Amino acid sequence: MNIKDIEEGKEDKLLDAALLQAQKKYGIAKTQKIIGSLYLECMTKLKQANERNEAL
């Protein structure tokens, strides 16, 4: 995937397809729980990285 693909919205289509596939495999509730867990983990790592940068 390149910048042109992202600008044309191809990334969104891939994300939508992945979400639908996960919902079919795990159900909507479990898919939302998985996404929530991943989001929380990413935000925690981002906060830690920001704190390290501020300490420098």
Side-chain angles (χ1 to χ4, degrees):
M1 178 153 314
N2 58 40
I3 292 174
K4 185 177 179 186
D5 290 340
I6 294 169
E7 290 171 352
E8 292 176 359
K10 290 182 182 176
E11 182 177 332
D12 291 339
K13 291 177 185 175
L14 288 173
L15 290 172
D16 288 345
L19 180 59
L20 285 173
Q21 186 176 16
Q23 288 176 349
K24 286 179 184 177
K25 184 173 182 177
Y26 301 112
I28 292 173
K30 188 168 183 178
T31 300
Q32 289 175 336
K33 186 176 179 181
I34 292 167
I35 291 170
S37 296
L38 292 171
Y39 176 80
L40 180 61
E41 184 178 339
C42 289
M43 290 297 107
T44 301
K45 288 182 180 185
L46 180 60
K47 181 180 177 190
Q48 291 169 348
N50 285 334
E51 289 171 352
R52 283 194 300 270
N53 285 336
E54 287 176 6
L56 297 175

